[in-house]
Amino acid sequence: MKVYFFCTHTIAWFNYRLMGKGRLCYEHRLLKRSVLVFIALLLCTISSAQQIDGDSVKLQVEKFHPKQLILPGVFITIGSFGVSNGWFCSVKDDVRKGFHNLRGECRFKIDDYLQYLPVAANVGLGFVGVKPRHSFRERVAVTTTAYAAMGIMVNATKIVVNEKRPDSGELNSFPSGHTATAFMGAELVREEYGIGYGIGAYTIATGIALIRLYNDRHWLNDIIAGAGVGILSARIGYWLLPWERKIFGWHRNSKSLALIPAYNPINHSAGISLVTQL
């Protein structure tokens, strides 16, 4: 609870110092307020993690709890509210104008690649000395399931809602798929490696969401809903993991596998050995 108070008071102070006394034009004040509120919600998301070691962490992550739906539900609800609400639409227009003033004619394409960085980190950090909470095959299973759930939710919603993109008018703006992918990976990293690495992953995901606004590819509500879909998708991946263990028989097989390079000096042949350990 102290972390929540710290987040809200810090945002309030920062909002007063930067936006008071007429220092910025209306569009820039509104833009910064929107970004600060978005970051505040993310801080609350990250700070809600509980640091428990051992198998209890796995059970806590994999077991469904209704409270796990609160934060992604808030993001998705706010984003959906902004699709047709008149007041929110005016906010979206003002935020877009603010980013246009910052951008000019300069655009970045790096978001097309960076969106996958948190996802790759979830699978790969375990190979560079960071201790994960699940095995490699389970991380792959969770990531695959989460990505499938995210893809279904994002694409189905795009077809149903038909919100126009701000830059091209294409009817596939809501929600942001790039943002959903990045936040899915960030939530996986947080759950798998702890809050320290989660903060870094969420920072990258937030940057990707803001780049989508900067490039005029999405509206404000698109990235908010995309963040919610991404977080929810990651949790779906963990909720379904116990079922996947049963389907593939992993709960009966405790063997660990390793690939080790092998070399035979007699005939100068090289290869790879598959080593199993009970």
Side-chain angles (χ1 to χ4, degrees):
M1 184 62 67
K2 291 182 179 180
V3 177
Y4 285 93
F5 278 114
F6 172 77
C7 294
T8 53
H9 281 76
T10 301
I11 296 299
W13 177 86
F14 194 51
N15 181 70
Y16 170 77
R17 295 293 298 174
L18 282 184
M19 301 169 203
K21 303 179 182 180
R23 294 182 182 180
L24 300 173
C25 66
Y26 172 77
E27 290 81 2
H28 280 73
R29 292 201 302 270
L30 188 58
L31 167 62
K32 288 185 177 292
R33 285 195 179 101
S34 302
V35 172
L36 287 174
V37 170
F38 188 57
I39 294 175
L41 289 173
L42 293 178
L43 288 174
C44 291
T45 301
I46 298 173
S47 65
S48 64
Q50 296 182 6
Q51 294 300 302
I52 306 174
D53 294 327
D55 293 337
S56 59
V57 171
K58 296 181 181 180
L59 295 176
Q60 182 188 36
V61 169
E62 297 166 9
K63 186 177 180 180
F64 171 79
H65 296 283
K67 66 180 181 180
Q68 295 173 326
L69 297 173
I70 295 176
L71 284 168
V74 169
F75 280 118
I76 294 172
T77 300
I78 293 175
S80 301
F81 180 74
V83 172
S84 58
N85 178 267
W87 173 81
F88 206 114
C89 287
S90 66
V91 173
K92 293 193 303 184
D93 289 333
D94 290 335
V95 170
R96 184 192 180 195
K97 291 176 182 177
F99 272 103
H100 176 74
N101 293 335
L102 294 174
R103 180 184 70 248
E105 298 301 325
C106 178
R107 297 175 186 266
F108 299 107
K109 296 297 183 181
I110 195 172
D111 51 323
D112 290 335
Y113 309 100
L114 282 182
Q115 63 173 317
Y116 301 109
L117 183 58
V119 179
N122 171 60
V123 177
L125 277 176
F127 294 108
V128 294
V130 183
K131 185 179 180 180
R133 291 171 177 168
H134 294 83
S135 65
F136 173 72
R137 65 185 179 186
E138 289 181 339
R139 297 200 306 275
V140 171
V142 169
T143 303
T144 303
T145 304
Y147 195 86
M150 184 271 298
I152 292 172
M153 287 189 286
V154 167
N155 289 292
T157 305
K158 285 179 180 289
I159 294 173
V160 172
V161 176
N162 284 333
E163 185 182 43
K164 292 183 178 179
R165 286 187 183 269
D167 62 336
S168 64
E170 295 181 63
L171 300 177
N172 61 352
S173 186
F174 180 86
S176 169
H178 284 63
T179 304
T181 301
F183 275 84
M184 179 197 74
E187 180 66 7
L188 291 174
V189 170
R190 183 186 72 82
E191 293 283 19
E192 197 66 41
Y193 300 99
I195 192 171
Y197 289 95
I199 290 175
Y202 266 101
T203 300
I204 295 173
T206 303
I208 293 169
L210 295 178
I211 291 176
R212 299 302 284 172
L213 289 178
Y214 180 87
N215 286 336
D216 202 28
R217 292 293 291 161
H218 283 287
W219 303 98
L220 176 63
N221 66 301
D222 297 340
I223 67 166
I224 294 176
V229 170
I231 295 171
L232 178 60
S233 300
R235 294 180 179 175
I236 289 174
Y238 281 112
W239 294 336
L240 294 181
L241 180 58
W243 294 90
E244 293 171 343
R245 288 198 187 106
K246 294 180 180 179
I247 292 174
F248 295 107
W250 294 343
H251 64 295
R252 298 189 302 268
N253 184 4
S254 60
K255 293 180 180 180
S256 59
L257 304 177
L259 293 175
I260 300 178
Y263 176 74
N264 189 338
I266 298 177
N267 55 10
H268 303 287
S269 61
I272 296 177
S273 300
L274 180 62
V275 180
T276 64
Q277 181 179 6
L278 292 175

